């Protein structure tokens, strides 16, 4: 009973501290303590510390705080991990146990002769059996597992034998060596015992004292990592206060790292202490890693070390600051992927997807995970889902169809998946972009049911905001076509409660996310106006928002505007929209002026946020963002940043030669690591603007090779876009042509169209692009002997094209009528061979009116509106240049009339427009 009394004594103090809020409201600690004491003295007052399946999720994921390798599916030799060279017979006997009951029986039968070694081994084996239970028995349903279903770990915190083990640990912890002490503390955390439990506190206090009094040279890095993981898991101020004293030791050990094991454990420490990290520390860490890891012989310890290092340098703030090191470490794993455990594989896949390179490892991981998937039992749970989450992004249309069928059958429509599957399922469905709304609805309905029926802890504000962000990303991936109104309404109700009762209203980074979601999804129940009180709060506190906060709000405003575009009478919303966009533009200008060292990622976020506010422009901000990119060289770029930058440039319809040349320098230097997806993006940019440069011409052979290499894996639309760009620059090889017009590719397109999510728009895009490609190859590459098979399609399109009614067109038509009296020589709204639309077609001959040597010359007069010209220099875009080239090959003389010239000042003079037309039509040779 001593443990119970001590826990009860400490509950009042801990409860008051934990439940203090900004509203200065304190929950009745006595009532809470009494209630929790009666239920289970180990649970304290934190609902999220109750042991349910979330604990096995933490154990399974191994990507947040794990300190020791737990990625195997068999028992490890724990005895040699924590009690090396120990001959204690009882400890050896415990290490050989195959069930919980075996451990508890040994402890009970040998109660009088137990020592600290036996207790340490017992808690370590409880954790070991828990790992095996969840990974082998529960998740993989392996009937041959030596863990029986009766050994339920889900209720272990209320198990009397386990409570007795904790009492024994409290009696013997003072005698434990530092290895057993640290490992026992880590095991308690992993099993689910609260860090504020008295036994955990005693272990952590003693371990802290040992670490603070031991010479740094003698401190083992594995001890540091276990202690860091155990303490930081609680995520409170007390934990950070303890860890600030350990931080200097971590820094000193970093400088003393000499082995793979040391680097691995220091990486774990740094990853779990992001609040203490700065650029100086990270630079020092990178130097140590480059010296110790790179160009060294391959070894199992090295592989594990690389995975942990990659996880650290690819954490949110640092992922784009060490591109070369990340690539080098990833390439160090080439050829050994098959030896990497699944749980590390998932982390690696997330990293290379985030970096969008290197190609070699992406391909190797995909091949290995595909093999695993083909061998997996279809009834498995989380393992299959995590495999799928690795495979989907690079899967073919047929494989995606199979994955979708598997989801429909196994996980979603039968509602047979647990909360553990929510994250992996989101990644799968988002990347599938399925048109089956039943799957989407089943997923979001299940997420909502889980949130409603679960404990209050799963609806903590940071968890709700994570789910809100997922929903917004999902909606964006579906081009805004998907809505789940019940989910949206309930989330908004919870977010309202958080604003009224929680702390999010006074934290800019939290409020920006809530505001963004709140305004994005209007409906009849919520209303279509934005709450003025929230708008006023944003305007009053806009000076506190960071680059990312501004981006989040801008994304919400963009979604809000799109979802209200059919509502014509919303003057209040439009006023609010303009005020918010103006304030955000001003804030972004302040950030640029105050922070000279913004990273490329921050600039990309500023740029993208500016594009989201497309209805309220601020030229000064736009030019300053572009100018700030000039501070970077090609060495600062990466595939990911280039992908985001090119997207921003196309969205803002801006061509910047200097900036794109920097991107090309990076691509040329690192061409062997590039994915075709990124190459297509930059090819499309240069085609859209109808430009090239020396760097682009140098890059074209590499681009052609990469597109040809990945042609079987690219989506149909992306492959056709890349092929069209290559056609434009006369770089289309016969190998791409052969596949482009093969039955295999056309069947692949059919599959994509049948399963696409945006059936109102995507098939039209694909069909139109296929026609343009067919026409381009027929005209530019007659030697390929590709047949023209779009005649009927063009005729159908032509019958639907309305006659121009714009003032520009009608004015030109009127002047041409005055100039050309014989209507037989003038055609309006005609079409050329291969389906090009001609605004005006004029037949010139040697009649009295038309004195030219060339009889029956075909001349087409085409109109250029603002959208047909580049903003930067008012020159024609690529599609217009391609049209001119093809018409000239077909025998036309092409004359363009720019709207800006036609409506310019000097055209207001009498007869000026007629004279201008005469000079264009009867241009002297």
């Amino acid at each position: 009973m001593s443990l119970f009394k001590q826990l009860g004594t400490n509950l009042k103090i801990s409860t008051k501290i934990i439940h203090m809020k900004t509203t200065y409201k304190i929950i009745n600690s006595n009532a809470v303590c009494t209630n929790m004491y009666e239920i289970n003295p180990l649970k304290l007052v934190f609902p999220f510390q109750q042991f349910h399946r979330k604990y096995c999720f933490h154990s399974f994921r191994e990507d947040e705080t794990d300190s020791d390798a737990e990625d195997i599916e068999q028992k490890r030799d724990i005895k040699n991990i924590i009690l090396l060279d120990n001959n204690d017979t009882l400890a050896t006997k415990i290490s050989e146990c195959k069930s919980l009951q075996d451990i508890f029986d040994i402890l009970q039968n040998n109660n009088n002769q137990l020592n600290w070694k036996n207790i340490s081994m017992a808690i370590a084996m409880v954790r070991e059996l828990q790992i095996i239970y969840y990974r082998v028995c529960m998740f993989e349903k392996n009937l041959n597992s030596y863990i029986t279903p009766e050994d339920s770990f889900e209720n272990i915190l209320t198990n009397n034998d386990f409570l007795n083990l904790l009492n024994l640990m409290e009696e013997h912890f003072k005698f434990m060596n530092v290895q057993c002490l640290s490992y026992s503390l880590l095991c308690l955390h992993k099993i689910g015992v609260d860090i504020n439990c008295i036994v955990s506190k005693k272990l952590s206090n003693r371990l802290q004292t040992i670490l603070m009094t031991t010479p740094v040279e003698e401190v083992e890095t594995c001890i540091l990592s276990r202690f860091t993981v155990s303490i930081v898991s609680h995520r409170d101020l007390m934990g950070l206060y303890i860890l600030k004293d350990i931080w200097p030791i971590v820094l000193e050990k970093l400088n003393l790292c000499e082995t793979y094991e040391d680097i691995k454990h220091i990486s774990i420490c740094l990853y779990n202490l992001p609040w203490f990290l700065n650029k100086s520390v990270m630079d020092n860490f990178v130097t140590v890693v480059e010296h110790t890891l790179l160009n060294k012989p391959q070894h199992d310890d090295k592989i594990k070390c690389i995975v942990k290092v990659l996880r650290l340098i690819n954490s949110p703030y640092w992922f784009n600051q060490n591109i070369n090191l990340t690539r080098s470490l990833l390439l160090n794993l080439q050829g050994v992927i098959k030896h990497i455990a699944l749980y590390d594989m998932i982390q690696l896949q997330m990293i290379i997807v985030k970096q969008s390179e290197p190609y070699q490892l992406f391909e190797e991981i995909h091949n290995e995970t595909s093999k695993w998937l083909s061998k997996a039992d279809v009834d498995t749970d989380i393992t299959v889902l995590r495999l799928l989450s690795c495979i989907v992004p690079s899967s073919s249309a047929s494989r995606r169809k199979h994955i979708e069928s598997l989801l429909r059958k196994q996980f979603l429509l039968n509602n047979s998946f647990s909360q553990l599957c929510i994250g992996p399922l989101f990644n799968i469905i988002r990347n599938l972009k399925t048109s089956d709304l039943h799957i989407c609805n089943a997923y979001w309905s299940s997420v909502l049911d889980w949130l409603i029926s679960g404990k209050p802890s799963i609806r903590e504000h940071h968890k709700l905001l994570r789910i809100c962000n997922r929903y917004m990303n999902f909606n964006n991936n579906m081009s805004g076509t998907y809505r789940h109104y019940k989910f949206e309404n309930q989330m908004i109700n919870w977010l309202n409660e958080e604003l009224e009762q929680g702390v999010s209203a006074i934290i800019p980074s939290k409020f920006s996310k809530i505001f963004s979601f709140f305004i994005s999804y209007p409906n009849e129940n919520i209303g279509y106006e934005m709450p003025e009180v929230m708008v006023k709060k944003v305007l009053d506190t806009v000076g506190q928002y960071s680059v990312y906060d501004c981006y989040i709000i801008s994304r919400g405003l963009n979604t809000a505007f799109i979802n209200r575009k059919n509502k014509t009478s919303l003057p209040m919303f439009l006023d609010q929209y303009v005020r918010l966009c103006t304030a955000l533009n001003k804030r972004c200008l302040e950030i640029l002026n105050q922070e000279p060292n913004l990273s490329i990622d921050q600039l990309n976020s500023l740029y993208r946020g500016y594009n989201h506010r497309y209805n309220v422009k601020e030229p000064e901000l736009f030019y300053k963002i572009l100018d700030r990119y000039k501070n970077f060289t090609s060495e600062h770029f990466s595939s990911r940043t280039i992908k985001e930058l090119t997207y921003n440039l196309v969205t803002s319809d801006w061509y910047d030669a200097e900036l794109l040349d920097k991107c090309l320098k990076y691509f040329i230097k690192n061409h062997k690591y590039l994915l075709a997806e990124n190459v297509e993006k930059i090819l499309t940019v240069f085609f859209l603007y109808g430009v090239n440069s020396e760097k682009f011409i140098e890059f074209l052979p590499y681009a052609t090779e990469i597109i040809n290499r990945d042609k079987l894996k690219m989506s149909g639309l992306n492959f056709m876009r890349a092929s069209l760009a290559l056609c434009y620059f006369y770089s289309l090889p016969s190998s791409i042509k052969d596949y482009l017009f093969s039955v295999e590719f056309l069947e692949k397109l059919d599959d994509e169209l049948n399963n696409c999510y945006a059936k109102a728009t995507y098939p039209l895009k694909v069909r139109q692009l296929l026609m343009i490609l067919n026409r381009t190859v027929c005209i530019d590459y007659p030697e390929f002997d590709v047949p023209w098979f779009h005649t009927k399609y063009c005729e159908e399109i032509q019958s639907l094209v309305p006659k121009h009614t714009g003032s520009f067109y009608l004015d030109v038509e009127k002047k041409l009528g005055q100039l050309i009296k014989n209507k037989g020589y003038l055609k309006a709204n005609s079409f050329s061979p291969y389906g090009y639309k001609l605004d005006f077609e004029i037949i010139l001959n040697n009649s009295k009116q038309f004195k030219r040597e060339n009889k029956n010359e075909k001349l087409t007069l085409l109109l250029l509106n603002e959208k047909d010209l580049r903003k930067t220099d008012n020159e024609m875009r690529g599609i217009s240049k391609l049209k001119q080239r093809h018409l000239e090959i077909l025998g036309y003389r092409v004359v363009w009339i720019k709207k800006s010239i036609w409506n310019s000042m000097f055209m207001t003079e009498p007869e000026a427009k007629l004279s201008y037309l005469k000079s264009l039509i009867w241009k002297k040779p």
Side-chain angles (χ1 to χ4, degrees):
M1 288 297 292
S2 59
L3 171 65
F4 289 49
K5 289 178 182 178
Q6 289 170 330
L7 279 169
T9 303
N10 286 284
L11 276 173
K12 296 181 182 180
I13 298 173
S14 61
T15 304
K16 286 184 179 181
I17 294 173
I18 292 168
H19 286 79
M20 288 287 288
K21 296 187 176 180
T22 54
T23 54
Y24 305 105
K25 216 183 286 182
I26 302 177
I27 293 179
N28 188 327
S29 58
N30 291 326
V32 173
C33 293
T34 304
N35 183 42
M36 297 307 295
Y37 178 87
E38 290 174 353
I39 298 172
N40 175 13
L42 289 173
K43 295 177 185 175
L44 296 183
V45 295
F46 268 178
F48 60 77
Q49 292 295 343
Q50 296 177 11
F51 188 85
H52 51 77
R53 295 190 74 185
K54 180 177 176 182
Y55 279 110
C56 69
F57 184 36
H58 282 314
S59 302
F60 182 88
R61 286 178 63 186
E62 197 199 5
D63 61 353
E64 288 190 358
T65 58
D66 269 340
S67 174
D68 286 289
E70 296 175 352
D71 49 20
I72 47 137
E73 297 171 357
Q74 304 295 329
K75 278 206 313 180
R76 292 174 294 172
D77 188 1
I78 292 297
K79 179 175 176 293
N80 285 326
I81 293 179
I82 63 173
L83 290 174
L84 192 63
D85 299 326
N86 178 64
N87 296 318
D88 189 292
T89 305
L90 199 54
T92 302
K93 195 173 180 182
I94 293 172
S95 71
E96 296 171 351
C97 288
K98 295 186 177 181
S99 73
L100 277 179
Q101 197 56 52
D102 289 348
I103 297 172
F104 296 147
D105 288 344
I106 290 176
L107 295 179
Q108 187 175 0
N109 296 334
N110 299 274
N111 189 54
N112 295 329
Q113 52 182 320
L114 294 176
N115 57 37
W116 63 272
K117 299 176 182 178
N118 311 145
I119 305 304
S120 301
M121 185 60 65
I123 197 68
M125 283 306 302
V126 169
R127 171 59 185 156
E128 196 69 12
L129 292 175
Q130 184 191 45
I131 295 170
I132 298 172
Y133 173 74
Y134 283 125
R135 290 189 177 166
V136 180
C137 180
M138 179 179 293
F139 291 123
E140 301 194 3
K141 298 179 175 63
N142 187 335
L143 300 179
N144 296 322
S145 169
Y146 43 75
I147 299 295
T148 62
E150 288 74 23
D151 289 326
S152 175
F153 283 84
E154 300 199 30
N155 299 313
I156 194 169
L157 292 185
T158 56
N159 184 299
N160 289 329
D161 290 321
F162 181 73
L163 294 176
N164 181 59
L165 175 58
L166 294 186
N167 280 323
L168 290 170
M169 181 168 288
E170 189 177 348
E171 293 175 12
H172 292 86
F173 81 95
K174 292 182 180 177
F175 308 104
M176 291 181 182
N177 66 22
V178 69
Q179 279 284 359
C180 290
L181 194 63
S182 64
Y183 202 85
S184 297
L185 182 64
L186 181 66
C187 287
L188 289 180
H189 156 58
K190 296 292 183 179
I191 291 169
V193 177
D194 193 291
I195 194 67
N196 283 328
C197 173
I198 194 68
V199 66
S200 293
K201 279 190 171 181
K202 286 187 175 181
L203 263 66
S204 63
N205 288 339
R206 181 163 184 266
L207 185 54
Q208 181 185 5
T209 301
I210 292 174
L211 289 172
M212 298 295 293
T213 56
T214 302
V216 174
E217 296 79 9
E218 299 177 16
V219 174
E220 295 186 57
T221 54
C222 62
I223 311 298
L224 272 179
S225 67
R226 291 169 190 163
F227 182 73
T228 302
V229 165
S230 302
I231 300 301
V232 84
S233 63
H234 195 51
R235 298 189 180 278
D236 62 357
L237 291 176
M238 183 60 70
L240 290 180
Y241 182 78
I242 294 171
L243 289 167
K244 77 173 180 58
D245 294 329
I246 301 300
W247 178 243
I249 303 175
V250 174
L251 293 182
E252 289 191 55
K253 291 302 293 183
L254 170 60
N255 293 321
L256 297 173
C257 282
E258 294 182 351
T259 67
Y260 297 145
E261 277 293 302
D262 285 343
I263 295 179
K264 182 184 81 171
H265 288 294
I266 292 300
S267 299
I268 293 169
C269 292
L270 297 179
Y271 179 80
N272 285 283
L273 296 173
W275 311 277
F276 302 152
L277 278 177
N278 57 36
K279 192 173 187 308
S280 174
V281 174
M282 283 300 294
D283 288 345
N284 189 23
F285 175 79
V286 167
T287 302
V288 171
V289 167
E290 289 175 339
H291 175 72
T292 310
L293 271 183
L294 296 182
N295 303 316
K296 296 295 177 67
Q298 203 62 272
H299 188 275
D300 287 346
D301 290 341
K302 179 182 178 182
I303 295 172
K304 194 71 182 176
C305 177
I306 287 175
V307 172
K308 296 301 181 186
V309 170
L310 283 169
R311 185 178 66 164
L312 170 61
I313 62 178
N314 282 275
S315 52
Y317 186 76
W318 305 103
F319 77 92
N320 199 50
Q321 302 198 29
N322 293 286
I323 300 301
N324 291 330
L325 177 60
T326 296
R327 188 194 303 116
S328 298
L329 291 174
L330 286 170
L331 291 173
N332 258 257
L333 297 175
Q334 256 190 286
V336 298
I337 291 298
K338 59 186 176 183
H339 301 304
I340 296 178
L342 169 63
Y343 315 102
D344 287 335
M345 187 77 75
I346 292 165
Q347 289 183 23
L348 285 176
Q349 179 73 358
M350 292 171 63
I351 290 169
I352 64 171
V353 167
K354 184 187 294 184
Q355 295 291 352
S356 294
E357 61 176 68
Y359 162 78
Q360 294 88 338
L361 205 65
F362 193 96
E363 187 73 2
E364 192 173 346
I365 288 179
H366 176 77
N367 291 338
E368 287 300 320
T369 49
S370 297
K371 290 177 186 176
W372 289 341
L373 183 64
S374 65
K375 298 175 184 176
D377 180 2
V378 293
D379 291 329
T380 53
D381 186 20
I382 189 76
T383 305
V384 165
L385 286 178
R386 291 195 169 276
L387 282 170
L388 293 177
S389 68
C390 290
I391 294 170
V392 169
S394 57
S395 292
S396 63
S398 58
R399 169 152 284 184
R400 290 186 182 212
K401 196 173 181 179
H402 170 71
I403 292 172
E404 184 176 323
S405 175
L406 181 63
L407 290 180
R408 190 180 295 109
K409 172 186 174 183
Q410 197 66 33
F411 300 111
L412 294 173
L413 299 188
N414 294 326
N415 240 358
S416 60
F417 67 93
S418 70
Q419 70 181 72
L420 306 180
C421 306
I422 286 175
L425 273 173
F426 169 77
N427 291 329
I428 293 167
I429 300 172
R430 180 188 178 190
N431 286 309
L432 275 179
K433 296 186 179 181
T434 175
S435 60
D436 189 344
L437 291 182
H438 293 297
I439 290 180
C440 302
N441 290 334
Y443 174 76
W444 289 108
S445 295
S446 296
V447 172
L448 183 59
D449 291 342
W450 168 63
L451 288 171
I452 292 173
S453 61
K455 296 177 174 61
S457 61
I458 67 174
R459 295 187 296 275
E460 291 173 345
H461 62 87
H462 61 281
K463 298 174 184 175
L464 286 179
L465 290 177
R466 188 182 303 123
I467 293 173
C468 287
N469 188 58
R470 282 181 177 172
Y471 182 82
M472 295 186 76
N473 287 335
F474 186 87
N475 182 267
N476 182 57
N477 265 34
M478 302 286 278
S479 298
T481 59
Y482 178 77
R483 299 283 298 275
H484 193 294
Y485 293 100
K486 186 177 179 181
F487 175 86
E488 293 170 7
N489 292 347
Q490 184 58 64
M491 292 300 290
I492 284 175
N493 289 338
W494 282 327
L495 294 178
N496 258 330
E497 290 177 11
E498 168 61 22
L499 289 176
E500 293 173 1
Q501 303 172 18
V503 299
S504 295
I506 60 173
I507 302 176
S509 61
K510 304 289 185 185
F511 183 76
S512 62
K513 295 182 179 71
I514 292 177
F515 179 75
S516 180
F517 185 87
F518 201 98
I519 65 174
S520 291
Y521 305 110
N523 59 55
E524 293 179 357
N525 297 328
I526 300 171
Y528 290 91
E529 306 288 358
M530 290 187 282
E532 180 61 25
V533 63
M534 296 183 75
V535 174
K536 189 175 185 304
K537 183 173 181 60
V538 173
L539 295 174
D540 290 343
T541 59
V542 70
Q544 302 175 22
Y545 291 129
S546 67
V547 169
Y548 188 66
D549 297 332
C550 291
Y551 162 72
I552 288 293
I553 295 177
S554 300
R555 182 181 67 169
L557 287 170
N558 181 51
T559 307
F561 190 87
I562 292 171
N563 286 336
R564 291 170 175 83
K565 63 183 177 183
N566 294 327
K567 304 295 176 183
T568 55
S569 56
L570 290 172
M572 180 179 173
F573 168 77
L574 293 175
D575 174 68
Q576 293 170 329
Y577 179 87
V578 172
R579 284 189 288 144
L580 287 167
C581 288
T582 303
L584 289 169
N585 283 337
K586 182 179 178 182
R587 173 57 186 158
C588 290
L589 265 174
E590 290 176 356
I591 292 173
L592 282 171
N593 292 330
Q594 295 169 2
E595 300 183 28
N597 298 317
L598 292 175
S599 67
I600 291 182
D601 294 301
Q602 289 174 309
L603 279 180
N604 279 337
S605 293
L606 275 178
Y607 198 171
R608 191 160 190 172
Y610 177 80
N611 286 336
H612 279 319
R613 304 186 295 273
Y614 59 88
N615 289 301
V616 183
K617 293 300 184 183
E618 175 54 65
E620 182 184 358
L621 172 61
F622 177 72
Y623 291 121
K624 279 200 171 184
I625 292 173
L626 289 175
D627 187 63
R628 189 63 68 87
Y629 281 106
K630 306 298 191 295
N631 296 339
F632 299 100
T633 67
S634 61
E635 297 298 322
H636 295 96
F637 284 91
S638 68
S639 287
R640 180 185 176 90
T641 54
I642 291 174
K643 180 179 177 180
E644 293 174 354
L645 176 56
T646 52
Y647 174 85
N648 285 332
L649 287 169
V650 171
T651 302
S652 61
D653 191 20
W654 195 258
Y655 172 73
D656 190 308
E658 181 182 349
L659 197 49
L660 285 170
D661 270 358
K662 289 182 180 180
C663 298
L664 288 169
K665 285 179 183 177
Y666 176 87
F667 275 3
I668 292 168
K669 181 179 179 181
N670 303 289
H671 63 90
K672 59 184 177 181
Y673 310 123
L674 302 181
L675 299 176
E677 176 190 0
N678 298 325
V679 172
E680 180 271 318
K681 296 291 186 295
I682 204 159
L683 283 175
T684 300
V685 167
F686 277 87
F687 166 65
L688 285 176
Y689 295 125
V691 294
N692 58 33
S693 64
E694 289 184 9
K695 285 295 175 187
F696 182 74
I697 298 302
E698 183 182 350
F699 175 64
L700 262 177
Y702 299 124
T704 305
E705 179 183 345
I706 292 168
I707 299 299
N708 188 46
R709 180 196 70 195
D710 290 349
K711 59 180 180 286
L712 299 177
K713 299 169 192 155
M714 298 176 70
S715 74
L717 191 64
N718 286 345
F719 176 62
M720 288 194 293
R721 282 173 175 163
S723 299
L724 182 58
L726 292 176
C727 282
Y728 179 80
F729 294 106
Y730 290 112
S731 299
L732 185 74
S734 59
S735 54
I736 291 181
K737 178 269 301 181
D738 291 339
Y739 176 65
L740 186 61
F741 298 105
S742 67
V743 174
E744 179 186 357
F745 179 70
L746 295 178
E747 287 177 348
K748 175 182 176 180
L749 278 184
D750 285 338
D751 279 343
E752 286 188 11
L753 297 183
N754 290 333
N755 295 285
C756 69
Y757 63 97
K759 291 191 179 295
T761 57
Y762 189 78
L764 297 177
K765 286 182 181 179
V766 169
R767 187 67 188 273
Q768 179 71 6
L769 187 52
L770 186 60
M771 183 276 290
I772 293 172
L773 262 171
N774 186 200
R775 178 171 63 197
T776 304
V777 173
C778 286
I779 297 175
D780 282 337
Y781 296 89
E783 67 274 17
F784 284 163
D785 199 25
V786 172
W788 169 244
F789 52 88
H790 278 90
T791 301
K792 186 175 180 181
Y793 171 77
C794 288
E795 289 173 353
E796 292 173 357
I797 296 297
Q798 292 166 17
S799 66
L800 300 174
V801 174
K803 189 179 185 302
H804 286 297
T805 56
S807 58
F808 177 32
Y809 180 88
L810 294 176
D811 194 21
V812 173
E813 185 179 36
K814 179 182 176 181
K815 298 300 180 185
L816 282 174
Q818 295 174 13
L819 194 63
I820 303 174
K821 304 299 183 182
N822 189 337
K823 301 306 178 186
Y825 294 114
L826 175 65
K827 292 182 183 178
N829 291 296
S830 62
F831 291 89
S832 76
Y834 297 100
Y836 271 118
K837 173 77 165 55
L838 306 178
D839 295 319
F840 301 100
E841 186 177 357
I842 303 172
I843 305 298
L844 301 178
N845 62 23
N846 60 354
S847 67
K848 292 181 181 179
Q849 187 176 359
F850 307 116
K851 294 181 179 180
R852 290 185 64 87
E853 296 178 1
N854 187 9
K855 293 183 178 181
N856 298 325
E857 178 187 11
K858 293 188 296 183
L859 180 146
T860 179
L861 197 149
L862 304 176
L863 307 185
L864 282 172
N865 290 287
E866 287 86 348
K867 63 182 178 61
D868 302 312
L869 303 170
R870 299 194 296 261
K871 284 184 180 179
T872 43
D873 54 12
N874 215 33
E875 292 298 318
M876 287 193 301
R877 295 175 179 275
I879 195 69
S880 298
K881 288 184 176 181
L882 185 66
K883 183 176 182 178
Q884 175 172 335
R885 185 169 86 194
H886 287 170
L887 290 175
E888 288 174 348
I889 292 173
L890 293 172
Y892 290 89
R893 180 163 68 90
V894 181
V895 174
W896 297 93
I897 300 178
K898 292 183 180 179
K899 185 177 181 179
S900 57
I901 296 177
W902 188 259
N903 293 328
S904 60
M905 184 70 70
F906 77 88
M907 287 292 188
T908 58
E909 295 292 327
E911 304 298 320
K913 290 182 178 178
L914 284 175
S915 299
Y916 179 67
L917 284 175
K918 285 180 181 179
S919 67
L920 291 176
I921 296 172
W922 293 285
K923 185 177 181 181
K924 295 180 181 180

